[in-house]
Amino acid sequence: MLQVSDIDTYYGNIQALWGVSLRIDEAEIVALVGANGAGKTTLLNTVSGLLHPASGRIEFCGKRIDGMAAYAIVQLGMSHIPEGRRLFPDMSTRENLQLGAYPRRLWKHKEKTLEEVYKIFPILKEKESQLARTLSGGEQQMVAIGRGLMSMPRLCIIDEPSSGLAPVVVDEIFQIILRLRNEDIGIFLVEQNVQQTLEIADRAYVLENGRITLGGESKELLQQEVIRKAYLGL
């Protein structure tokens, strides 16, 4: 579904990604693991069109997208759920969710799609009139994910969904991610909780200093000494 081939990405004159290649198949959870500053968010932003690579190629569902605008990539079926929620604080839960259905082909179906999102997050139905800034951290993360689902994506890019959340809420968010995969939505996941992430992911890549240094089945990576020492503290 997604094929990233040998991309280089720069911030001005500073190179942030070096020859990065990876793939995500249909209805698969793929994790991206790396230390702070390794380039994980840069890679996600490059895939979703917020940044453009200087070289290399990105294909999504058979179409080349590395030169496309982010909004056009959304219309193809990719949704980017950024780190830090990025909600509109003085808009209601419902209004924030509706913004995810802005493409014309989706806007006319927004009420039906909204009800589907409410089935996944019943608490948001109860709080649909509440301002986003008054929601708890976990509820705000649910709004962020729900907004991403309003575009009816085939692939969701999710950046640090557990950041700042209590462990019980983190468990709930991970269960939601598994549910999305079971509903045939692919997931490209960056998450600080490496152990829990590798336990739910099908495959994973390790990004170090802007380069992919390791990749494979998540269960196998969990057993590798370099992963256990560097990311699991074992």
Side-chain angles (χ1 to χ4, degrees):
M1 180 167 57
L2 177 71
Q3 183 73 47
V4 177
S5 303
D6 200 28
I7 64 168
D8 296 332
T9 299
Y10 289 77
Y11 286 106
N13 295 322
I14 307 299
Q15 188 165 358
L17 298 178
W18 305 72
V20 170
S21 297
L22 58 83
R23 80 172 203 278
I24 299 176
D25 297 330
E26 296 277 354
E28 182 181 43
I29 299 176
V30 173
L32 183 65
V33 175
N36 290 338
K40 302 187 299 297
T41 295
T42 298
L43 178 53
L44 300 192
N45 288 344
T46 304
V47 169
S48 67
L50 296 174
L51 295 172
H52 296 300
S55 60
R57 186 181 185 95
I58 304 174
E59 295 184 2
F60 178 58
C61 297
K63 186 176 180 66
R64 186 167 184 177
I65 64 170
D66 47 87
M68 294 177 63
Y71 73 86
I73 296 174
V74 171
Q75 293 174 341
L76 291 177
M78 186 188 298
S79 178
H80 187 165
I81 300 162
E83 181 180 7
R85 285 61 133 173
R86 305 286 183 89
L87 304 181
F88 291 90
D90 293 317
M91 295 175 66
S92 70
T93 295
R94 183 185 184 88
E95 290 168 336
N96 270 279
L97 290 170
Q98 286 178 326
L99 287 174
Y102 74 87
R104 183 176 299 177
R105 67 178 178 84
L106 300 171
W107 187 254
K108 60 184 177 181
H109 303 298
K110 66 181 183 300
E111 294 304 320
K112 181 179 178 181
T113 310
L114 190 61
E115 289 306 314
E116 293 300 316
V117 170
Y118 284 153
K119 288 179 183 178
I120 299 173
F121 304 106
I123 188 66
L124 300 186
K125 174 67 172 178
E126 297 176 19
K127 300 193 175 186
E128 66 175 356
S129 299
Q130 196 166 321
L131 296 182
R133 61 180 167 80
T134 67
L135 300 174
S136 69
E139 290 164 351
Q140 289 182 11
Q141 186 61 63
M142 291 176 190
V143 174
I145 296 174
R147 181 178 58 188
L149 296 177
M150 288 293 293
S151 65
M152 301 176 65
R154 296 181 63 184
L155 173 66
C156 278
I157 296 174
I158 309 180
D159 194 357
E160 299 285 7
S162 77
S163 179
L165 302 182
V168 65
V169 181
V170 172
D171 290 342
E172 186 175 358
I173 295 297
F174 273 74
Q175 288 304 309
I176 289 165
I177 290 171
L178 283 171
R179 176 175 175 176
L180 297 180
R181 191 269 305 276
N182 293 337
E183 294 182 2
D184 295 328
I185 298 174
I187 305 292
F188 190 18
L189 177 64
V190 166
E191 170 52 47
Q192 59 188 340
N193 188 330
V194 174
Q195 174 84 39
Q196 198 167 0
T197 299
L198 293 180
E199 286 174 353
I200 70 165
D202 299 294
R203 292 185 301 107
Y205 294 92
V206 178
L207 188 69
E208 296 181 344
N209 298 318
R211 294 177 170 89
I212 296 290
T213 59
L214 199 60
E217 300 292 327
S218 295
K219 291 180 180 179
E220 295 177 1
L221 292 180
L222 270 171
Q223 303 307 314
Q224 294 202 20
E225 185 174 358
V226 63
I227 297 294
R228 295 169 66 83
K229 285 184 176 181
Y231 301 107
L232 304 181
L234 300 175

